[in-house]
Amino acid sequence: MNCSPARGPLVVSFYRGVWCPYCNLELQALEAVLPEIAARGASLAVISPQTQNNSCKSQRDNKLSVPIMTDAGAKLADAFGIKFALSEELIEVYRGFGNDLPRVNDNPEWVLPMPARYVIGRDGVIA
């Protein structure tokens, strides 16, 4: 998939990770509308703080035709202003569900992006 700005708009979706059932449903919905995105001359980019191995698993499990790019340390999410640190109480809830974000993301911080989508025009402006 060519994501160069000359091709058309870019739909960017921030994805929390392989462990999130709601996020996985969202990935499947994006895959279902991918033909419509392409018909409008746009491309889709999915970005997650998880490791590349976990992103490959997400791509396989959700039958995605687009790769999930790794945002190590959620730096891009931070640049978009959607990175947040989990509170101690929320960390305990996640642990209770068996989610070990530092392992999944290969990052000692308990941080995630807010689930978010952006459409970025050929001119680089977020619509």
Side-chain angles (χ1 to χ4, degrees):
M1 174 180 260
N2 180 357
C3 295
S4 68
R7 181 158 185 251
L10 180 64
V11 177
V12 176
S13 182
F14 284 91
Y15 166 69
R16 292 165 45 146
V18 67
W19 53 268
C20 178
Y22 304 107
C23 302
N24 290 319
L25 288 172
E26 179 185 30
L27 284 182
Q28 294 165 25
L30 284 169
E31 180 68 26
V33 299
L34 193 55
E36 184 177 339
I37 292 170
R40 295 173 184 257
S43 300
L44 174 64
V46 179
I47 302 168
S48 175
Q50 68 188 352
T51 65
Q52 189 59 51
N53 284 342
N54 285 320
S55 287
C56 288
K57 180 177 177 2
S58 294
Q59 182 181 357
R60 241 184 350 266
D61 291 353
N62 290 293
K63 299 175 177 61
L64 299 181
S65 59
V66 297
I68 300 171
M69 294 176 272
T70 299
D71 178 21
K75 291 180 178 99
L76 185 59
D78 192 33
F80 272 77
I82 59 170
K83 175 182 169 182
F84 71 98
L86 280 69
S87 67
E88 287 299 321
E89 294 83 12
L90 198 49
I91 290 170
E92 290 308 313
V93 169
Y94 275 56
R95 283 185 174 140
F97 289 136
N99 294 329
D100 184 357
L101 294 184
R103 182 185 52 76
V104 171
N105 297 340
D106 193 25
N107 178 357
E109 299 177 325
W110 283 80
V111 296
L112 288 172
M114 295 295 294
R117 259 117 343 273
Y118 297 92
V119 177
I120 304 172
R122 289 177 61 179
D123 58 2
V125 175
I126 297 174

